[in-house]
Amino acid sequence: MPMGRKNFNCDPEMPYHITARCINKEWFSASSKDVWSIMTTHLYFISFAYNIRIHAFVLMTNHFHLIAQAPDANLSEAMRFFMSECGRDLRQLSNRINCTFGTRFHRSRLGNPHYYFHAYKYLYRNPVEAGLCTRVEDYPYSTLPGLLGKSKIEVPIIDDFNWSSAESRFRSLEWLNLHPQRDDWEKVKKGLRRSEFRFARENSKPSHLETNRL
């Protein structure tokens, strides 16, 4: 008999990096614009109905990345609702018969600011690393353009970096657009696969994925 998922005790004090992929690594069978509209609508709902604090969100062609915190320790309930509602709407939109997501969401606790910065940069650099844009602020299906005032912000976002300040905005974008070495990128990617984000060895921390944007 297959083992069930381990009981999850949500840490209300810490954010989590969350991701889920479309079944069989397929595309969402709908335009990114439509998928974005559906997902941001339901993110907006869970931010109020479940008191979920959303720090960042990026939609890719067949998966999403989210950094969020659940002060009421109800992350699982909120994400179950979010994925269920998104899946239903996407099936109706694309006439998909099978389920939308291949598995339940994966979460990785970001236990300190150092790890949070790594996850934040990883999330916003995903479209750049995938060749979908050249700079992080140019990707439309991300909460970053909204924080920068380049587009309507669809989701209540926690502003961790004082994006309204011209000086802070310049330094943060410079930091996010600094290209990481491939080995460093892979270290962060592997760290986020763990339920508790960490590196295999603390002395193997990435050297070029700088976390100090100042």
Side-chain angles (χ1 to χ4, degrees), residues 10-175:
C10 178
D11 185 343
E13 302 295 329
M14 293 296 174
Y16 288 80
H17 173 267
I18 301 161
T19 187
R21 189 177 298 274
C22 196
I23 191 168
N24 297 327
K25 298 184 179 180
E26 299 171 356
W27 288 31
F28 280 111
S29 301
S31 70
S32 294
K33 182 179 180 180
D34 287 337
V35 179
W36 174 260
S37 178
I38 288 170
M39 289 195 173
T40 53
T41 294
H42 293 303
L43 283 175
Y44 182 91
F45 179 82
I46 68 171
S47 70
F48 290 102
Y50 291 88
N51 191 27
I52 300 300
R53 296 168 59 86
I54 299 169
H55 295 260
F57 178 70
V58 167
L59 171 66
M60 301 295 285
T61 54
N62 66 359
H63 65 284
F64 67 81
H65 293 272
L66 169 69
I67 295 178
Q69 185 177 349
D72 298 333
N74 58 348
L75 184 64
S76 289
E77 294 86 346
M79 288 307 300
R80 277 198 297 269
F81 176 89
F82 171 76
M83 292 179 65
S84 173
E85 295 300 300
C86 286
R88 182 200 62 189
D89 289 351
L90 288 168
R91 286 194 300 274
Q92 291 177 352
L93 181 66
S94 62
N95 294 318
R96 178 189 289 272
I97 298 174
N98 57 353
C99 58
T100 300
F101 296 102
T103 60
R104 288 179 287 186
F105 69 95
H106 172 74
R107 59 184 178 262
S108 183
R109 179 179 175 271
L110 307 175
N112 60 51
H114 174 78
Y115 291 155
Y116 176 81
F117 290 144
H118 278 303
Y120 194 89
K121 182 166 183 174
Y122 178 86
L123 179 147
Y124 278 133
R125 281 201 62 84
N126 245 260
V128 178
E129 298 298 320
L132 300 177
C133 59
T134 56
R135 293 181 61 82
V136 293
E137 64 268 33
D138 294 335
Y139 187 65
Y141 305 114
S142 153
T143 48
L144 187 55
L147 285 168
L148 295 171
K150 297 177 65 175
S151 65
K152 179 181 178 182
I153 193 159
E154 307 287 350
V155 182
I157 299 293
I158 305 300
D159 183 358
D160 296 296
F161 295 103
N162 192 20
W163 287 104
S164 60
S165 162
E167 181 180 0
S168 180
R169 182 166 60 246
F170 173 80
R171 292 184 177 183
S172 296
L173 287 176
E174 187 177 44
W175 165 64

